[in-house]
C-alpha cells in the first residue's frame, strides 16, 4: 500500500514546530511514532499536504524524576514499560504501557501518540475500497453512523491503553501552542465525541505528561481484553490505582476504563465507593455495577457489545482484587 | 512529489539516495537498495515480517518514513551472515526447522537477534515475548524457540573453545 503524497517537515525545536502548524493550519498533521498514523494514511483516512515529524525534537523525549514524574510526549511506550522508575512509582502505568501492541511496536509508538490516538471503529479503520462499498461512514466521507444509524453522533472508540492508567493516577498534560502553553488534567482532554475526540487545536502539540507525587507508590493493576493477546488495541481496558492503609482499608482509589466509550474515563462514584472500604465481594459488585452504568460498548469491533460489557465487569473485579492483594 | 536526498546508514554502510518523503523504510530497502531479505507481509504493522533493527531496537520498517531515519543505524537480515556464512541464530533456524515457508524468518531472526544482544541466555518466556509481534503460520513457533536454544548453546561452546585457544 502506498502512502499519499505529502511534504515532511522536520522542525529542530518546539517553536519551529508550532510555527509550522500555525502556517499550514488545516493542511498539516503531527506524526510522532507513526504506529497509528502510518496505517491510517495507507488507508487514506487522512491525506494532509504536510506532515510534521516530532522525532527531531530531543526535549520531548525522556522520563524526568522530580516532584512526581514528568514524561516527554515522544518517549516510547516501550521505554515507559521498561523503566524501573515507572514500575516502582506508578505500577499501573508500567502495566498499561507493557500491554500496548507488541514489542516491535512499543519501540516506536510514543506516549503522546497513545494519548492522542484516533478513535477506532470497524466501519472506519478499513481500506478505501471497503469503506466505499458501505457508502462510507459519519466519521469519514459519509453521512450515516452504521453503528447507531438513528443518531447524529459518531461512536468510534478511544483505544489507548495508557490513558486509563494516567486518569487513575490523576495525571496532567502540558500543551504547547502559539498562545501560552497550558496545563490541564488529562480527564479534561477528551470530549466523548468519536470525531473531535480531543481538545487539541490544530496549532497545538501535546508535549509532556505530569504524574503527581501524591500518586507515587499507589498500588495498581491494568486488565485488557483484545482479540490477539500478542498485539492489538484494547476492546475493553480497566485500570485501578489504590492507596491502602496498613490495616488494608482503602484510603484513596480510582478506577478508569478505556475502549468502551468514545473517551477513556474515570468511573463516576468509584472513588467514593473505594474510600474507607475493605476488600469484599460487595465492594467488587458495587464497582462492577458503577462501571456497567458508565460504559456504552456498541458494535464498533469484531467483538460483541454484550461480551465487552461482561468482560469489563469481570476485569473490574479482577483488577481491584489484584491491586488490593499485590 | 519532490525527492529528498537522504543519507541512510544500513548494515554499517552509508547509502546516499534520492527518496520521496512518503516512502517507508521497507520500500527503500527492498526497491531502491535491493535488500530483499526484509519481507513485506501485511504492510499495516500486524505481522512483523518487515522487522529490522534500528539503533539496537526491533522496529517495523513498513511504519517508518525512510527520510526520518537518517540519524539512525539500521540493521537488516543481510547483516547477520559474515563472508557468506550464516550467523549462529540463522544456523539454529536451519538445524531446528525454524524456517518453513521462510516469509516470517527475517523478521523473527531480527527480533531474536536484539533479544540475544541484550540477554545472552534468555528464558523460554523471554523468547516467546520477544517474538510476540512476529506472526508465523507454518512452524507453530516451537521450532523457532528451539532455534534460539540451539544458537545460545552454539555461541556458548564457541566462547569456551575461544577461551581454551587463548590458554593453549
Amino acid at each position: 500500500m502506498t502512502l499519499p503524497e505529502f511534504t515532511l517537515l522536520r522542525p529542530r525545536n518546539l517553536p519551529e514546530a508550532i510555527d509550522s502548524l500555525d502556517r499550514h493550519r488545516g493542511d498539516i498533521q503531527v506524526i510522532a511514532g507513526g504506529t497509528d498514523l502510518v496505517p491510517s494514511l495507507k488507508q487514506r483516512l487522512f491525506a494532509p499536504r504536510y506532515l510534521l515529524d516530532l522525532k527531531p525534537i530531543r526535549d520531548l523525549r525522556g522520563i524526568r524524576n522530580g516532584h512526581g514524574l514528568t514524561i516527554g510526549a515522544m518517549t516510547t511506550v516501550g521505554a515507559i514499560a521498561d523503566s524501573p522508575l515507572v514500575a516502582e512509582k506508578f505500577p499501573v502505568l508500567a502495566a498499561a504501557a507493557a500491554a500496548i501492541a507488541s514489542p516491535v511496536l512499543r519501540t516506536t509508538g510514543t506516549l503522546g501518540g497513545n494519548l492522542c490516538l484516533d478513535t477506532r471503529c470497524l466501519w472506519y479503520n478499513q481500506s478505501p475500497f471497503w469503506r466505499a462499498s458501505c457508502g462510507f461512514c459519519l466519521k469519514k466521507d459519509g453521512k450515516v453512523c452504521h453503528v447507531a444509524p438513528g443518531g447524529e453522533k459518531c461512536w468510534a472508540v478511544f483505544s489507548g491503553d495508557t490513558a486509563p492508567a494516567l486518569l487513575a493516577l490523576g495525571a496532567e498534560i502540558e500543551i504547547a501552542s502559539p498562545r501560552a502553553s497550558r496545563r490541564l488534567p488529562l480527564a479534561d482532554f477528551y470530549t466523548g465525541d468519536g470525531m473531535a475526540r480531543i481538545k487539541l487545536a490544530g496549532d497545538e502539540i501535546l508535549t509532556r505528561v505530569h504524574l503527581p507525587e501524591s500518586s507515587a507508590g499507589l498500588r495498581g493493576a491494568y486488565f485488557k481484553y483484545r482479540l490477539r493477546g500478542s498485539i492489538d488495541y484494547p476492546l475493553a481496558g480497566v485500570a485501578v490505582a489504590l492507596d491502602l492503609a496498613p490495616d488494608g482499608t482503602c484510603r484513596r482509589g480510582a478506577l478508569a476504563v478505556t475502549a468502551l466509550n468514545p473517551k477513556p474515563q474515570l468511573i463516576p462514584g468509584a472513588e467514593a465507593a473505594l474510600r474507607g472500604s475493605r476488600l469484599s465481594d460487595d465492594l467488587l459488585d458495587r464497582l462492577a455495577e458503577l462501571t456497567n452504568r458508565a460504559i456504552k460498548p456498541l458494535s464498533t469491533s469484531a467483538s460483541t457489545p454484550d461480551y465487552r460489557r461482561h468482560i469489563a465487569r469481570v476485569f473490574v473485579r479482577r483488577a481491584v482484587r489484584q491491586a488490593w492483594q499485590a | 512529489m519532490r525527492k529528498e536526498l537522504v543519507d541512510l546508514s544500513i548494515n554499517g554502510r552509508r547509502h546516499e539516495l534520492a527518496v520521496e518523503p512518503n516512502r517507508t523504510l521497507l520500500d527503500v530497502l527492498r526497491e531502491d537498495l535491493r535488500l530483499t531479505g526484509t519481507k513485506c507481509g501485511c504492510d499495516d504493522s500486524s505481522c512483523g515480517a518487515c522487522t529490522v533493527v534500528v539503533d539496537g531496537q526491533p522496529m517495523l520498517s513498513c511504519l517508518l518514513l525512510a527520510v526520518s531515519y537518517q540519524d539512525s543505524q539500521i540493521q537488516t537480515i543481510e547483516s547477520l551472515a559474515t563472508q557468506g556464512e550464516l550467523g549462529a541464530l540463522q544456523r539454529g533456524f536451519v538445524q531446528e526447522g525454524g524456517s518453513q515457508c521462510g516469509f516470517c524468518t527475517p523478521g523473527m531472526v531480527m527480533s531474536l537477534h536484539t533479544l540475544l544482544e541484550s540477554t545472552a541466555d534468555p528464558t523460554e518466556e523471554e523468547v516467546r515475548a520477544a517474538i510476540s509481534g512476529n506472526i508465523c503460520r507454518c512452524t507453530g513457533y516451537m521450532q523457532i524457540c528451539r532455534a534460539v536454544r540451539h544458537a545460545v548453546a552454539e555461541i556458548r561452546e564457541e566462547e569456551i573453545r575461544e577461551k581454551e585457544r587463548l590458554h593453549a
Side-chain angles (χ1 to χ4, degrees):
Chain A
M1 281 175 281
T2 56
L3 286 162
E5 295 192 1
F6 52 76
T7 300
L8 186 72
L9 306 175
R10 275 166 292 160
R12 279 159 302 181
N13 50 49
L14 203 53
E16 219 178 282
I18 296 288
D19 188 54
S20 294
L21 285 181
D22 200 21
R23 189 141 21 103
H24 303 296
R25 228 184 149 140
D27 224 353
I28 184 166
Q29 250 174 310
V30 164
I31 179 164
T35 51
D36 186 48
L37 184 63
V38 170
S40 297
L41 287 168
K42 288 182 180 178
Q43 293 180 330
R44 298 298 186 275
L45 296 176
F46 309 103
R49 178 128 40 126
Y50 297 93
L51 274 189
L52 184 77
D53 186 3
L54 297 185
K55 207 158 126 327
I57 309 175
R58 298 244 150 230
D59 305 354
L60 294 183
R61 230 162 250 269
I63 302 172
R64 257 205 345 265
N65 194 5
H67 196 65
L69 271 190
T70 301
I71 307 179
M74 286 296 287
T75 309
T76 65
V77 290
I80 294 167
D82 294 341
S83 160
L85 192 61
V86 173
E88 185 205 317
K89 292 181 98 167
F90 303 102
V92 62
L93 177 60
I100 296 170
S102 71
V104 283
L105 285 157
R106 290 197 291 273
T107 54
T108 316
T110 64
L111 179 62
N114 198 246
L115 293 178
C116 294
L117 212 59
D118 192 10
T119 51
R120 300 184 64 79
C121 180
L122 188 63
W123 301 90
Y124 173 67
N125 300 96
Q126 301 288 356
S127 67
F129 173 80
W130 198 103
R131 286 184 286 115
S133 69
C134 301
F136 300 103
C137 81
L138 188 62
K139 186 164 161 73
K140 176 71 182 156
D141 299 331
K143 293 200 171 68
V144 178
C145 170
H146 300 292
V147 170
E152 305 269 286
K153 197 185 156 182
C154 166
W155 286 94
V157 173
F158 181 83
S159 308
D161 289 294
T162 53
L166 291 168
L167 288 171
L169 293 167
E172 294 194 344
I173 53 172
E174 205 176 307
I175 289 170
S177 98
R179 300 158 295 276
S181 77
R182 58 196 178 104
R183 192 166 155 163
L184 69 158
L186 180 64
D188 296 345
F189 187 50
Y190 298 102
T191 63
D193 174 357
M195 290 169 80
R197 67 201 187 280
I198 47 176
K199 290 178 198 152
L200 191 71
D203 54 2
E204 292 182 321
I205 296 173
L206 170 62
T207 53
R208 277 173 198 92
V209 175
H210 299 278
L211 287 151
E213 186 60 34
S214 58
S215 294
L218 291 188
R219 290 152 182 268
Y222 180 68
F223 275 68
K224 169 174 177 172
Y225 165 54
R226 49 183 157 177
L227 291 184
R228 297 165 292 186
S230 60
I231 55 173
D232 271 337
Y233 291 92
L235 297 177
V238 174
V240 60
L242 296 175
D243 178 22
L244 298 187
D247 70 349
T249 312
C250 180
R251 281 195 285 236
R252 179 166 79 96
L255 185 63
V257 295
T258 189
L260 291 158
N261 289 333
K263 68 171 181 181
Q265 63 180 83
L266 286 160
I267 299 300
E271 213 165 335
L274 283 162
R275 184 172 294 124
S277 295
R278 289 177 156 278
L279 181 61
S280 68
D281 285 333
D282 275 356
L283 174 67
L284 297 179
D285 286 347
R286 202 140 113 242
L287 293 170
E289 184 44 36
L290 287 168
T291 304
N292 193 37
R293 269 187 248 159
I295 60 177
K296 193 167 180 179
L298 296 173
S299 50
T300 51
S301 72
S303 185
T304 63
D306 279 352
Y307 185 70
R308 283 160 66 213
R309 191 173 277 285
H310 168 74
I311 204 71
R313 288 182 297 219
V314 172
F315 280 175
V316 165
R317 289 192 178 88
R318 287 187 192 166
V320 172
R321 189 180 288 280
Q322 190 191 85
W324 214 293
Q325 295 171 341
Chain B
M1 198 180 357
R2 261 236 323 266
K3 287 188 177 184
E4 270 186 56
L5 203 59
V6 300
D7 184 1
L8 291 171
S9 172
I10 296 161
N11 301 335
R13 253 188 73 193
R14 301 214 68 94
H15 294 266
E16 271 195 41
L17 59 171
V19 170
E20 292 93 346
N22 71 342
R23 294 186 64 224
T24 63
L25 180 60
L26 176 64
D27 295 339
V28 172
L29 287 173
R30 289 183 56 83
E31 290 159 21
D32 296 22
L33 298 171
R34 298 285 163 190
L35 292 169
T36 53
T38 306
K39 302 300 179 212
C40 176
C42 66
D43 208 16
D44 78 352
S45 74
S46 301
C47 79
C50 68
T51 305
V52 297
V53 178
V54 178
D55 297 325
Q57 306 239 54
M59 291 188 183
L60 300 178
S61 59
C62 75
L63 285 177
L64 312 178
L65 301 177
V67 296
S68 286
Y69 286 82
Q70 297 183 64
D71 299 325
S72 297
Q73 297 294 324
I74 297 156
Q75 228 186 322
T76 70
I77 187 74
E78 283 87 354
S79 69
L80 296 191
T82 37
Q83 285 154 4
E85 198 185 323
L86 297 181
L89 190 54
Q90 291 167 305
R91 284 198 296 274
F93 269 71
V94 174
Q95 290 299 321
E96 298 290 343
S99 181
Q100 287 184 21
C101 90
F103 213 76
C104 74
T105 310
M108 284 283 178
V109 171
M110 294 318 278
S111 282
L112 290 166
H113 174 71
T114 39
L115 172 70
L116 293 183
E117 291 280 290
S118 64
T119 316
D121 190 4
T123 63
E124 179 79 11
E125 206 173 302
E126 286 170 325
V127 171
R128 288 178 179 219
I131 55 168
S132 59
N134 296 82
I135 292 174
C136 174
R137 297 286 84 147
C138 308
T139 63
Y141 304 96
M142 300 306 288
Q143 295 94 314
I144 293 172
C145 294
R146 282 205 295 271
V148 179
R149 296 264 68 85
H150 188 102
V152 167
E154 201 182 282
I155 292 166
R156 192 182 299 145
E157 277 166 32
E158 182 56 39
E159 277 168 3
I160 291 168
R161 272 202 299 279
E162 189 66 28
K163 255 185 216 152
E164 283 169 356
R165 259 202 298 279
L166 286 173
H167 277 286

